[in-house]
Amino acid sequence: MTIYVCGHSNPDTDSVAAAIAYATLAKALGEDAVAVMQSSADALNPESKVVLERFGLAAPEEITDAAGKQIALVDHSDIGQAPANIDKAEVVAIVDHHKVGDITTNTPILVNSQPVGCTCTVLNEMFKLNNVAIPKDVAGAMTAAILSDTVNFKSPTCTDKDKAAVAELAPLAGVTDTEALFMDMLKAKSAVDGVPAQDLLFRDYKDFDMNGKKVGVGQLELATLDQVAAIRDDLLKAMQDTKADGRHTVLLMLTDVVKEGTDLVVVSDEPAVIEGAFGGKIDGVSFWVDGMMSRKKQTVPNLQKAFGC
Ligand code: MG
Ligand code: MG
Ligand code: MG
């Protein structure tokens, strides 16, 4: 039976690269595995498109329904981020680097989740443990994924293991300048010209259950906040529309990767709760949070505390 290896919805570069890497490893170990993603190739985010093109990899096929399939999950273990009908699938493995989600299984499965900056860091270790050589193109995508998830090693989620993994993977991929690779990815990721505000909000967006309240958090990583200066009103409108769809709060992290902080745009039934979560004061529709780079490690835990989770 084929194992479909799948990252989270709204796939990022790690979800795509990790699916490709895990499928490659599983195949090398004699399993029938295929990388898939919860997006069409066209709708894939611009950073991931650049990465696949750069390393000559085909985009994974889109999966729309998990029912009846064997699924290996990478880069998530939440039902809400998994493909539709995951409850009617057989989850056979989880490789991740997030908090443990709500997926359960009837039988023991392989779970390798580590507090590191990227799923591909975990996978690099799994290749080594299994004595499987990582193909050049796959090593390239894994390098890119680690640079992306750790924001070029600047994110607080970054660990020594992530840096060591890039030091091993980049030479395998023929990447001599990881800084230049990161800047190429950042340029692609932060390109906003001509992109509808709704698409920008959902480019890297996740919904969370905060004590029964639905809270959405999007993030745009930018080289400078000037990139979105002209479209702030459009972004706000997209956030308001999204909130009107049954959410308590919608946040948009406008993260300045160079200044290493985030302008947090807030649309909420209780703005004071959001202010309290980050010790800030909304000026207009947003406030600056110095040092905030990571949704997972900084934004979400602070929100959970503020919402009493
Ligand atoms: Mg991810
Ligand atoms: Mg990841
Ligand atoms: Mg990410």
Side-chain angles (χ1 to χ4, degrees), residues 23-43:
T24 301
L25 176 63
K27 272 189 279 189
L29 296 174
E31 310 221 52
D32 179 17
V34 59
V36 293
M37 62 180 182
Q38 298 184 61
S39 164
S40 67
D42 285 347

Side-chain angles (χ1 to χ4, degrees), residues 21 25 30 47 49 56 66 70 91 122 130 141 147 154 168 174 182 221 223 233 244 246 280:
L25 176 63
E47 181 197 78
K49 279 185 193 167
Q70 284 199 334
V91 176
V122 181
N130 287 287
L147 293 174
K154 282 187 199 162
E168 291 170 5
F182 176 76
E221 285 164 350
D233 288 347

Side-chain angles (χ1 to χ4, degrees), residues 12 149 204 295:
D12 56 10
D149 261 14
D204 182 7
R295 173 174 52 203

